[in-house]
Structure formats: structure tokens, C-alpha cells
Amino acid sequence: MDVRKRNRVSVTGRKGGPVVVLAHGFGCDQNLWRLVVPELEKHFRVVLFDHVGAGGSDVSAWSPERYSTLDGYVQDVIELCQELGLGPVTFVGHSVSSMIGVLAVVQEPGLFDKLVLLTPSPSYIDDGDYRGGFSEQDIDELLDSLDSNYLGWSATVAPVIMGNPDRPELGEELTNSFCRMDPEIARVFARVTFLSDNRADLSKVSVPTLVAESARDTLAPREVGAFVHRQIPGSELVTLDSTGHCPQLSAPQETAEAIIAFVQGS
């Protein structure tokens, strides 16, 4: 298995610098990091990759058996880190990749130096006192809509996830990114993303962790960021002055600065 080809791995930035691995969310690929990479490259060795089924990954490596839970993606991340052999890395996970990072750290803590969770959510569904932002019915309807018309769903949902209605080009970019994904793969990944519940895994994280939330995020409201911060021992919480679920696009400078300050901190 060629991990670099499977996940279209790209390594750039400062040789010998601390290693930062950037992992994208549902419906995206490594291109969505492009606005923060130039700043990160000044300080770090930067690793970019596409999850199997996204972007320029080897789609033939995808199977519903391996990727019907987050564990398939977790194993990919572990294999990628082992293959590159760059020593303990800082893993930056956006959206669903934040929980992929949590699970990878819990399973193989020696591979990771630090963890950055960008707009994370361990569970999107409200449960008792926990507020994930959506009812079970909300999520069922979202997934039913995706099943019936994936392209139409993408055109409707992506701009809402992105936020920033005054900057429609951002919503259009996310819509186009969603639409490039194979609908069958997207259906499976959407269920993994929106139905997983990783709340109990947060307390097992044993590396320094930054929780970076958006000030205004429909998909992961600030109550969720506060919950993640409380559950991960010793974690730091920063609220970016950004709108929407993808601050690496809507507020790239602030996002880059938060990552740099955390990785370079003691």
C-alpha cells in the first residue's frame, strides 16, 4: 500500500521545523487549507493530505466496510504518520477530522505532540443537557435530503455551513467542493460525520490540545466548543473572530496565528 498515493500526501514548508499535519472535513479536500499554508510554511514542516474518497485521493482504496465508521479514517492517519516517519506531529483536524484526530491520539499517543481541533463537534445531536445544535429529527431530515438529491442538498447546505452570506464566493466554493465528491461516498461519510458520538473519547486525550471555535458557527455553536474544552484535560480554548464553520477560508490569518501560537508555545 502506497500511503502517499492513497491520500495524495504533500509535504512542504520549513525543513527541520515542527511538523503540522492538516486534515480537512466532510466534503472538502486539502485545497481548503491553501490560505493558511503560506503562513504555516514559514514556521513548520506542513503535511497536507486528502481523506480517501476526497480530492485527489485514490478512490479505489475506498470501501463502505472500512469507512462506515471513523475508525477507517483514524487508521489512515496513523498509517500516514508512521509512513512519513517525521516524529511526533501536531495534528490539526477541521470539523469531523477533529474527532478523527482525537481517536488517533487516544489509540497512538506516541505519534502526536499536540492536537488542534478546529470547529470540532463530538456529537451534533442534542442529548439531555448536552446541546449539539440539532435534534435527531433535524439530522434524519438532513441525511434524507442528501440521499434524495445530493447535488441539490450541496447547493442548499454548503452556504449555510460556510456562513458569511455577504461573501457568497465562499459558499460557492464549498458547494463546488461538495459536488466534486462521489455521491455514494458522500452519503456514507455524511452518516459517519453527523451520527458519530465521540463525547466519551474526549477525556482520554493525553496531549496538549487547542480547541479553536468560530464566534458564529451554525454547525458547531459555542456551547459545543465549551463542552469539548471542559472534557479534554488541560486544553486551551480560543474563539476566533470568524463566522461560519470554515475559518481557514473565512478568517485565514487569525486561524494561522492561533495554530502558530499554540504549536510554538511551551
Side-chain angles (χ1 to χ4, degrees):
M1 177 187 56
D2 185 341
V3 173
R4 292 173 184 257
K5 178 177 180 293
R6 181 188 69 189
N7 293 103
R8 194 176 63 137
V9 177
S10 170
V11 182
T12 184
R14 185 161 70 85
K15 291 185 178 180
V19 180
V20 172
V21 177
L22 303 178
H24 64 83
F26 167 83
C28 304
D29 59 28
Q30 61 185 265
N31 186 56
L32 263 71
W33 293 107
R34 69 186 184 281
L35 300 181
V36 303
V37 166
E39 198 62 36
L40 298 181
E41 285 178 330
K42 298 174 184 177
H43 307 274
F44 312 125
R45 198 73 170 146
V46 179
V47 178
L48 294 157
F49 72 98
D50 293 334
H51 287 304
V52 171
S57 67
D58 182 358
V59 179
S60 70
W62 186 86
S63 71
E65 293 77 24
R66 181 175 175 91
Y67 296 104
S68 61
T69 70
L70 288 181
D71 188 60
Y73 298 98
V74 172
Q75 297 311 312
D76 285 357
V77 166
I78 290 171
E79 290 166 6
L80 186 154
C81 292
Q82 291 172 334
E83 169 70 19
L84 293 177
L86 295 174
V89 306
T90 294
F91 183 89
V92 182
H94 171 235
S95 193
V96 66
S97 279
S98 62
M99 292 304 113
I100 292 170
V102 163
L103 294 173
V105 165
V106 170
Q107 188 167 330
E108 293 287 349
L111 292 175
F112 302 93
D113 184 39
K114 294 183 177 182
L115 182 62
V116 177
L117 309 179
L118 184 63
T119 61
S121 178
S123 175
Y124 289 99
I125 298 175
D126 298 339
D127 179 25
D129 293 335
Y130 173 78
R131 290 291 174 264
F134 300 87
S135 68
E136 192 169 348
Q137 182 178 349
D138 290 335
I139 296 299
D140 286 344
E141 290 175 355
L142 181 148
L143 294 174
D144 287 345
S145 175
L146 183 153
D147 286 343
S148 63
N149 181 1
Y150 177 63
L151 296 181
W153 177 88
S154 298
T156 301
V157 171
V160 175
I161 292 174
M162 177 58 71
N164 296 277
D166 57 325
R167 299 166 68 188
E169 70 278 5
L170 296 180
E172 183 178 342
E173 176 171 347
L174 192 62
T175 298
N176 291 338
S177 180
F178 278 22
C179 290
R180 285 193 295 270
M181 197 170 191
D182 180 282
E184 179 187 356
I185 294 174
R187 290 185 186 104
V188 176
F189 198 13
R191 278 170 167 73
V192 173
T193 298
F194 291 109
L195 297 177
S196 292
D197 184 350
N198 297 106
R199 288 176 290 172
D201 298 300
L202 299 175
S203 64
K204 303 172 189 175
V205 173
S206 58
V207 303
T209 301
L210 174 68
V211 180
E213 63 179 4
S214 273
R216 299 161 294 277
D217 185 351
T218 301
L219 204 59
R222 291 184 63 181
E223 294 89 342
V224 176
F227 176 86
V228 174
H229 171 49
R230 288 197 305 270
Q231 296 300 309
I232 297 180
S235 64
E236 300 177 27
L237 174 65
V238 63
T239 302
L240 304 172
D241 185 18
S242 58
T243 297
H245 196 59
C246 303
Q248 69 270 52
L249 280 182
S250 61
Q253 186 65 33
E254 190 173 3
T255 301
E257 289 172 356
I259 294 170
I260 291 165
F262 178 68
V263 177
Q264 292 185 332
S266 57

